[in-house]
Amino acid sequence: MSRYAICPEASMSRLSAALLLLGAILLGGSSALAQSDSDVYNRIEELHGDAASFDRSLRQLVRAMRSGDAETIAGLAEYPLTVKANGETYDVESAKDFIDNFDDLVTPETRRAVGRQQYEDLFVNSDGVMLAGSAVWMGAICEDNACEASHWAIIAINN
């Protein structure tokens, strides 16, 4: 007989403890799963390139959202811009249209959320970069058919 006894209760309790720990990590947002600023920057560079330009655009956007600077935000958007606000979906055709309707298109909650955005909390995928829990999406917009040059812009607002 083996020197080590197999105790089903011990195995089950270890399994239960492991599952509870995993659940706590997933629900609690453990720092073990957190990403650093450099992780996010590198992911942007890997998927889209020109992370430095994104960084500049993001900083501009965060400052503009904090101060309610409609002109700067409008200048950072790509048109037509899809905006979801007040239970409706709008196709904003121009910066002027955006500025004229700013208070209806960008809620105070969205402004506050984007104004508090932390770099390490950004979500990056092949579609772009999500800010403030999907309130705003930014994407790299190709400037030519070969996409040899691009710029970062707001591509959607979801209040």
Side-chain angles (χ1 to χ4, degrees):
M1 175 164 232
S2 170
R3 220 165 76 147
Y4 303 101
I6 297 175
C7 178
E9 294 83 16
S11 295
M12 270 316 241
S13 61
R14 284 187 191 140
L15 177 61
S16 296
L19 290 173
L20 284 173
L21 179 60
L22 178 61
I25 289 171
L26 293 174
L27 291 174
S30 167
S31 61
L33 298 177
Q35 55 186 1
S36 69
D37 289 1
S38 62
D39 292 336
V40 174
Y41 187 94
N42 292 337
R43 179 91 170 134
I44 293 167
E45 189 66 38
E46 173 189 335
L47 290 177
H48 303 283
D50 201 7
S53 178
F54 170 78
D55 188 60
R56 285 188 300 276
S57 297
L58 175 66
R59 290 176 195 281
Q60 268 188 297
L61 178 60
V62 168
R63 279 193 307 272
M65 286 286 194
R66 285 180 185 159
S67 65
D69 182 351
E71 289 81 12
T72 296
I73 298 167
L76 290 168
E78 183 72 16
Y79 299 95
L81 174 66
T82 301
V83 177
K84 293 180 182 175
N86 310 308
E88 302 286 333
T89 300
Y90 304 96
D91 291 321
V92 182
E93 296 297 325
S94 68
K96 181 181 180 337
D97 190 19
F98 184 87
I99 294 164
D100 290 347
N101 296 287
F102 180 72
D103 289 330
D104 293 324
L105 295 173
V106 185
T107 65
E109 295 81 14
T110 295
R111 289 182 228 165
R112 279 191 296 276
V114 175
R116 291 189 305 257
Q117 179 67 54
Q118 297 296 308
Y119 207 86
E120 67 269 9
D121 295 330
L122 295 169
F123 173 78
V124 183
N125 68 18
S126 60
D127 294 325
V129 180
M130 180 184 78
L131 290 73
S134 84
V136 174
W137 277 87
M138 294 184 78
I141 308 300
C142 294
E143 295 179 11
D144 56 33
N145 288 337
C147 203
E148 291 178 7
S150 65
H151 66 277
W152 283 92
I154 300 166
I155 56 173
I157 297 176
N158 304 303
N159 292 280

